[in-house]
Every structure is written in structure tokens, then in C-alpha cells.
Amino acid sequence: MLTETSNRTLDSGRVLHEELEIPLTPGTARRWIRANDEELPELLSTARGARDRFKAGVITYSRKVFIPLTNLCRDYCGYCTFRRDPGQSGAHTMTPDEVLAVARAGEKLGCTEALFSLGDKPERIFSEMRETLRRLGFRSTLHYLEAMCELVLRETSLLPHPNPGLMSAEWISRLAGVSPSMGLMLETTNNALLAAGAAHDNAPDKIPARRLRTIEEAGKQGVPFTTGILIGIGESPDDRVDALLAIRDLHLRYGHIQEVIIQNFRVKPEIPMYNWPEPTRGEMLRTIAVARMLLPEVNIQAPPNLSDPDYENLLDAGINDWGGVSPLTADFINPERPWPHLEQLEQRTQAKGFELRQRLPVYPEFVQPAMGKSTLLDSKLSAVVGREGYARSAA
């Protein structure tokens, strides 16, 4: 266990000298996530120290294409602009030709990741999706996703990273054969957000216990996994700590959490939560810093496009990764927030004193655990992994 000396100014003006144990205890995490403005510089400094012990001097990103396989979804989250109902403007399920065209275009631009995003099991409530799947020759959205991951894997040099929502043990195993890593945002552990009018009202796949079960099953199978929390959707600071602790507990048990994303809610005019207050920059920085100190040896990411124009300041809170950044496709989850140009991302990262390095969808330290799931995946992964486990083009 690491310790950091902390000089914390109390309300009385007296300075308290204490040893901060890293990883933080739950109680200490709950105190620090409410740090006041005077305490914030100390909190950020301690978090940076924890980050620098983990990966000093390097900030990573994944060059990706965003493949929105289908935006039909059975969940109705109050903050989402991605999902559609059949017949609604913009509703679309990609064909195999469309999937391959996007992947090949990304390949020409040096991308190594095909990020598959899709609604959760839309065929359960939409006959139109069932008909689309029948026409394409598949029994379910997950069968179609598996086939499209394999298509991209066979026909391009890109590595799929699927985010399909809740998965059974069988589906985690099947998708692990065609993707080196996968993900599911925990978002929150607060069941109150399932109530009428709350962020997860009418969203059966956002029940925290079900999401934790999926993340745990991935751990049992040794699948490198990305998860994270969404802040500003009605949860409290303590709720954020509770969600991070739930992630930490699973990682301590299975060692499979390759990345934790701290994502901030952004208002959009067309969502039910259009008049909801966004989390402040201070809330974002405090949450990132506490995440770093709770999970000092896990990659911590925050999306730069959701903190524009001053996203480089997120580095001050202890992140070591910018996530997937695309030179080709938009962020279909937050289309009003374009990705930063890669040249700008590198310049701002270097100005903060870091080297920007391109990684694969699976992090360097998880490349070996990703192996052995299928011969095809092993051969494709070996072809693109370079020095120290980063993308070969960046080695």
C-alpha cells in the first residue's frame, strides 16, 4: 500500500498532517470527493503522484472507427440521443457492406480499433428488428454482432471492441473469440435512478446488479474489460464512490478491469433531461482524482470531447488515457461533441509534459490475457501489436 503525505487545511485554518493510504479507504474517498476549492490542488497533486507511479510520462489513446451497428434499443435512458425506435428519424441498422466500408476506410487512416456500439436487445420489443435480423440471416442482435466482429477481424487489420450491453456467460465467451476486449459502462450503483422520471426509468438493462453480473462474468473468463461511471445523472458524490468501489472489488477478485472511464453528462436539447444541470469541472476533477486513488494501477480515462475546450486540464486529475479518438467517424453517442484533431491532442498532451502513444483497444498489459481465445484473434492481434504492447504503427 502506498502513502502520500497530505497537508489539509481545515475550516479553522489549522493544517492537518496525515498519511493518505493509496488505494484510499472508502471513508477517505467519500471525504475527498467532497474536497472544497482550497483542498482541490492537494487532491489533484496526490492523484497525479499515484498516476505517475503507474505509468510515468505516457498518455495513451486508441485510434478507432465508431461502428453504430444498430441504434434501436429497448432502453429509454433520460440522457440518450443515440437510441431510436423503428420508423423514427435516423433509425438504422447497418448492413455488412456498411460495416466493412467504415472499417476499411478507418484502416487507411491508421485506425486499429473498430468500436461496436449498439442498442441492447432491440429484438425483444421491436418486430421490425426481428424482421431485419431474419432478412440478414441472424437470430438475435448478439448473433449479428458476433458475425460483424468476425467480418472486420477477417477482412481488415482492425480489432473489434464491442459494447453490446448485458451479456450472458455464453455470449461473453463467444464474443471473446472475435474481440480482444469488450466493455460495459456500470454508470451507477444507485437503484433510485430506476424510479419514474429518473435517468434510468424504463431502462431494464440499467439495473446495477445485472450490469455488475456481466462485468463479473467477464472477470471469471479473464476477458480484458472496460467499464466506468457516468456522473451528473442524479447520483450523489457517495454514489460515485460506491460505484468505483464496486468496480474495484471486482478487479481485486479477477484482475480484468483494463480501464475505468469517468464520463460526464452533457445536456442535449432533444433528451428528457434537457434541463438537467451538468456536473461542474470541479466535480469532474474530484471524481477522476478519487478514481485514480481508489484504483491506482488501473487505466483511468475521460473523454476529451466532453470537456472541450480545456480538456487537457483533465490530466491534472490523474488520467492516463484519452480513450478512443476517431479521425473518420463522429461520436454517435455525443454527436454534438466532435473529437479533437489528433495533432491537437498530441500538442496539448505534450504541453503538459507527456508523450502521447497509440494503443490497441486492449491495453498493453492485457495483450497476453487476451490471447488464446481463438486462432484468428491471436493471429490478428499479433500482427498489430508492437513494442511494449502498444499499436505497431506507434511502436
Side-chain angles (χ1 to χ4, degrees), residues 138-261:
F138 297 95
R139 288 188 293 154
S140 72
T141 302
L142 287 175
H143 282 95
Y144 186 41
L145 171 65
E146 179 186 33
M148 292 304 95
C149 287
E150 183 175 355
L151 178 67
V152 167
L153 202 59
R154 287 188 182 279
E155 299 297 329
T156 76
S157 61
L158 273 62
L159 298 171
H161 178 88
N163 290 311
L166 298 182
M167 293 172 281
S168 66
E170 177 188 358
W171 273 111
I172 290 171
S173 177
R174 290 179 67 151
L175 291 174
V178 291
S179 59
S181 58
M182 58 188 77
L184 173 73
M185 289 288 284
L186 174 58
E187 296 192 13
T188 183
T189 52
N190 185 348
N191 285 299
L193 298 189
L194 298 164
H200 290 154
D201 178 17
N202 197 16
D205 299 294
K206 295 301 176 75
I207 295 173
R210 293 180 179 175
R211 299 179 85 77
L212 287 167
R213 193 177 305 124
T214 295
I215 300 168
E216 180 174 21
E217 186 55 47
K220 291 178 180 178
Q221 298 188 33
V223 175
F225 210 80
T226 291
T227 188
I229 64 174
L230 179 58
I231 72 168
I233 58 172
E235 82 295 343
S236 69
D238 282 354
D239 292 334
R240 297 167 192 171
V241 173
D242 289 343
L244 291 168
L245 288 171
I247 293 169
R248 185 175 77 173
D249 288 347
L250 290 174
H251 183 61
L252 289 174
R253 198 176 312 163
Y254 302 107
H256 68 305
I257 303 297
Q258 65 164 0
E259 173 186 42
V260 172
I261 302 170

Side-chain angles (χ1 to χ4, degrees), residues 60-203:
T60 53
Y61 80 101
S62 177
R63 191 180 298 229
K64 73 177 183 184
V65 292
F66 200 122
I67 299 179
L69 190 64
T70 182
N71 56 9
L72 303 184
C73 184
R74 70 171 180 168
D75 296 314
Y76 291 81
C77 299
Y79 46 79
C80 184
T81 58
F82 176 74
R83 73 155 321 280
R84 295 289 189 275
D85 286 342
Q88 188 177 354
S89 176
H92 185 63
T93 297
M94 297 178 72
T95 66
D97 286 345
E98 288 173 329
V99 169
L100 201 52
V102 171
R104 283 173 171 161
E107 186 176 32
K108 292 178 181 178
L109 294 175
C111 296
T112 55
E113 175 180 355
L115 174 63
F116 281 88
S117 290
L118 56 151
D120 206 320
K121 302 173 186 65
E123 71 276 14
R124 297 278 182 90
I125 64 171
F126 298 128
S127 60
E128 293 90 342
M129 187 62 185
R130 293 193 293 272
E131 174 58 26
T132 296
L133 290 168
R134 187 198 64 76
R135 190 169 61 250
L136 290 168
F138 297 95
R139 288 188 293 154
S140 72
T141 302
L142 287 175
H143 282 95
Y144 186 41
L145 171 65
E146 179 186 33
M148 292 304 95
C149 287
E150 183 175 355
L151 178 67
V152 167
L153 202 59
R154 287 188 182 279
E155 299 297 329
T156 76
S157 61
L158 273 62
L159 298 171
H161 178 88
N163 290 311
L166 298 182
M167 293 172 281
S168 66
E170 177 188 358
W171 273 111
I172 290 171
S173 177
R174 290 179 67 151
L175 291 174
V178 291
S179 59
S181 58
M182 58 188 77
L184 173 73
M185 289 288 284
L186 174 58
E187 296 192 13
T188 183
T189 52
N190 185 348
N191 285 299
L193 298 189
L194 298 164
H200 290 154
D201 178 17
N202 197 16

Side-chain angles (χ1 to χ4, degrees), residues 270-344:
E270 63 272 32
I271 61 175
M273 295 169 63
Y274 68 91
N275 61 352
W276 204 264
E278 296 181 343
T280 66
R281 177 54 62 95
E283 286 180 277
M284 186 66 172
L285 294 176
R286 288 192 292 271
T287 305
I288 291 171
V290 168
R292 168 53 67 200
M293 293 192 290
L294 281 171
L295 296 149
E297 296 183 356
V298 173
N299 298 288
I300 304 293
Q301 185 241 108
N305 59 316
L306 300 186
S307 292
D308 205 38
D310 302 315
Y311 59 79
E312 67 273 15
N313 294 333
L314 299 176
L315 294 168
D316 296 337
I319 65 169
N320 69 288
D321 186 80
W322 290 123
V325 177
S326 180
L328 177 68
T329 52
D331 179 352
F332 288 93
I333 307 299
N334 299 279
E336 81 287 358
R337 297 280 171 178
W339 306 113
H341 292 292
L342 290 172
E343 295 81 3
Q344 179 198 79

Side-chain angles (χ1 to χ4, degrees), residues 24-88:
L24 295 180
T25 64
T28 304
R30 292 188 176 94
R31 290 199 300 274
W32 277 100
I33 205 165
R34 289 184 167 87
N36 61 37
D37 290 344
E38 292 182 355
E39 297 170 319
L40 185 57
E42 177 189 351
L43 172 64
L44 300 183
S45 176
T46 306
R48 288 195 300 273
R51 186 261 320 279
D52 293 343
R53 285 189 179 93
F54 173 51
K55 282 187 178 176
V58 175
I59 304 297
T60 53
Y61 80 101
S62 177
R63 191 180 298 229
K64 73 177 183 184
V65 292
F66 200 122
I67 299 179
L69 190 64
T70 182
N71 56 9
L72 303 184
C73 184
R74 70 171 180 168
D75 296 314
Y76 291 81
C77 299
Y79 46 79
C80 184
T81 58
F82 176 74
R83 73 155 321 280
R84 295 289 189 275
D85 286 342
Q88 188 177 354

